[in-house]
Amino acid sequence: MDPVTEDRAPEPLTEYAHRITRRVRAFDRRHPLLWDLHFAGFWVTAALTDYSGGGWRNIAHNVDVPDRLLLLMSLGLSVPLLWRRTHPGAVLAAMAPFALVNAWTGAAIQASLLQLVPVYHLALRRPLHHLWWATALFITPVLVSVARYGEGSWDQQIGSQLMSITVAVLIGMTVRTRRNYTEALEDRARRLEIERDQQARLATAAERTRIAREMHDILGHNLSVITGLADGGRYAAGKSPERAAQALDAIATTSRQALTELRRLLDVMRKEEEDQASRSPQPGLTDLDQLLDGVRSAGLPVHLTTHGSPTLTPGRQLTVYRVIQEALTNTLKHGGPDATAEIELTYADRGAATVTITDNGNGSRTDDPTRAGRGLPGMRERTALYGGTLEAGPLPHTEHGWRVRLHLPEEIPQ
């Protein structure tokens, strides 16, 4: 079983749909006018097609409406949609006179149904009390048509229009609720991230205080003991060599204990220094040759194969660099004296990259997470920041060797 089965890639179809949706939304945020022009242009074309093709005559109460008036009503009921998102109330008010003329003349062109679009945007972006007058504007032409031409019962005509506006309002409110819920989740995530950083800083300050206190205790106590033993041994050296030897043994034992405790504290402090070092310029792909030269000088032959040209951002370059560094370090530690390593680095468009590090080491390794260090979890955390996948484990169908494979997908514009 692969040791990183928990790093599963998302379903391809779902990931593709999410990627397309994010791109469309990002494009709309960058170019709202272009999207509005396409939307309004589509419905203007549909309204003019209905007018020029004579399709309106199939449901009209009066087929003798002048062509110029039909053209004016078609444009008046479709062109205002260009401003539907920024001024939905004004758009609905501008369309209302044309809808009223449409009902009075008996043309009954289908472009009057486009009033549902600003009604939807009112429910999406404005307080709900705007819907009362919007409903009145939408129903008034229906009342005029029924009163003037008398086709169909009042309850059927008004009921169907009320059903249409209800559906538009419900859709708008549903989208609005979901958008508000998503924004609330994002705000909560930001607050939790800030709180987490604050807790981390507080914990770091408390840990530093504890380390300083322990350092003081270790050095103060043990050095005092060592000084006293050394003074006593110097005086006893001339009269009692045996006591002098005992003092030296005690000094050695105390020194070893102090050294052990100091090493433990220095390990903790070294991690803090690494956190501070993360604020300085980080290595990238240009530093990869220097890393490989250092590994080769340590006794591990490494061969690098590169395909394509790099288009990675500095953050992705750092991820690739750290994964290669950690994989080669593990090979040096566990691969054995005759191990060699192969690195295959493949670049694609938009920051995508695939890195495979393979060695033929015969040293012992473990997949037990309770015995593993911070290397593999650290690589996974870096990879997850960019939506990538990381696989690490023994080579299949062979007795010896280990492989680490990193894949970073294309970078999605935000």
Side-chain angles (χ1 to χ4, degrees):
M1 182 177 180
D2 194 279
V4 288
T5 54
E6 66 271 22
D7 293 339
R8 297 183 183 274
E11 293 295 334
L13 183 59
T14 303
E15 180 63 19
Y16 177 79
H18 289 171
R19 183 165 63 251
I20 294 299
T21 302
R22 288 194 295 268
R23 288 180 178 177
V24 170
R25 291 177 178 174
F27 179 83
D28 187 31
R29 286 193 296 269
R30 293 193 302 268
H31 310 285
L33 180 60
L34 185 59
W35 179 261
D36 291 341
L37 285 172
H38 278 80
F39 184 87
F42 174 82
W43 289 113
V44 169
T45 303
L48 293 179
T49 301
D50 182 60
Y51 154 74
S52 60
W56 62 277
R57 299 176 182 273
N58 297 327
I59 59 173
H61 303 299
N62 177 19
V63 296
D64 297 326
V65 182
D67 288 344
R68 292 185 178 180
L69 183 58
L70 285 171
L71 177 60
L72 182 62
M73 289 189 297
S74 299
L75 294 176
L77 290 170
S78 57
V79 172
L81 294 179
L82 180 62
W83 299 275
R84 73 196 187 281
R85 291 198 289 187
T86 55
H87 304 88
V91 169
L92 184 60
M95 297 170 71
F98 297 98
L100 190 60
V101 173
N102 178 51
W104 181 262
T105 58
I109 58 177
Q110 295 300 301
S112 61
L113 294 176
L114 293 177
Q115 289 178 290
L116 293 172
V117 176
V119 170
Y120 160 80
H121 284 279
L122 278 174
L124 182 63
R125 293 178 169 82
R126 297 291 185 268
L128 295 182
H129 64 79
H130 286 269
L131 298 177
W132 295 108
W133 64 264
T135 303
L137 285 180
F138 190 80
I139 294 297
T140 299
V142 179
L143 298 177
V144 172
S145 178
V146 173
R148 182 172 174 80
Y149 296 98
E151 293 188 11
S153 61
W154 289 81
D155 56 347
Q156 289 180 346
Q157 294 291 333
I158 297 177
S160 62
Q161 296 301 319
L162 286 176
M163 180 63 69
S164 300
I165 197 172
T166 300
V167 171
V169 169
L170 288 178
I171 294 175
M173 292 178 65
T174 301
V175 175
R176 180 177 184 173
T177 302
R178 181 174 180 82
R179 180 179 297 175
N180 292 340
Y181 178 73
T182 302
E183 291 175 354
L185 288 180
E186 293 175 350
D187 181 69
R188 183 172 182 268
R190 286 192 295 267
R191 291 177 181 273
L192 289 176
E193 184 176 356
I194 294 174
E195 182 179 353
R196 181 199 62 191
D197 294 339
Q198 291 175 344
Q199 294 294 334
R201 287 193 292 268
L202 291 174
T204 301
E207 183 67 13
R208 288 178 176 175
T209 302
R210 185 187 66 83
I211 292 173
R213 184 172 58 250
E214 291 192 8
M215 184 77 74
H216 175 271
D217 294 341
I218 292 171
L219 294 178
H221 172 73
N222 290 288
L223 289 180
S224 296
V225 172
I226 291 173
T227 302
L229 291 172
D231 290 339
R234 183 184 60 184
Y235 289 113
K239 298 180 179 180
S240 178
E242 294 180 359
R243 289 191 175 182
Q246 292 176 357
L248 292 176
D249 291 339
I251 289 174
T253 302
T254 304
S255 300
R256 292 189 188 97
Q257 292 176 352
L259 183 60
T260 301
E261 295 185 32
L262 286 175
R263 284 174 176 172
R264 176 178 59 82
L265 290 176
L266 290 175
D267 287 339
V268 178
M269 296 177 65
R270 187 177 298 113
K271 293 180 180 180
E272 294 182 358
E273 291 174 358
E274 292 175 357
D275 293 339
Q276 295 292 334
S278 63
R279 302 172 185 172
S280 60
Q282 298 295 317
L285 297 177
T286 55
D287 304 297
L288 198 55
D289 291 336
Q290 182 178 357
L291 172 65
L292 298 183
D293 291 339
V295 173
R296 293 187 184 108
S297 63
L300 175 63
V302 182
H303 180 262
L304 172 64
T305 304
T306 304
H307 305 282
S309 300
T311 59
L312 279 70
T313 60
R316 289 175 173 244
Q317 291 187 31
L318 177 61
T319 299
V320 172
Y321 181 94
R322 291 303 188 197
V323 169
I324 294 176
Q325 182 184 45
E326 182 63 28
L328 295 179
T329 301
N330 289 338
T331 301
L332 282 170
K333 293 167 61 177
H334 307 292
D338 299 324
T340 60
E342 295 282 341
I343 302 175
E344 184 177 3
L345 184 53
T346 303
Y347 301 109
D349 296 333
R350 298 179 181 176
T354 302
V355 187
T356 304
I357 307 100
T358 308
D359 67 64
N360 60 353
N362 55 6
S364 60
R365 301 191 183 186
T366 177
D367 295 338
D368 185 0
T370 62
R371 299 175 56 190
R374 289 295 304 168
L376 185 57
M379 289 192 290
R380 290 178 181 171
E381 291 169 0
R382 289 183 179 276
T383 304
L385 291 176
Y386 301 98
T389 57
L390 180 71
E391 301 174 0
L395 292 175
H397 310 299
T398 58
E399 295 182 359
H400 306 296
W402 196 267
R403 178 174 60 195
V404 175
R405 184 178 183 274
L406 165 70
H407 174 67
L408 296 178
E410 293 183 0
E411 189 169 9
I412 300 175
Q414 299 296 325

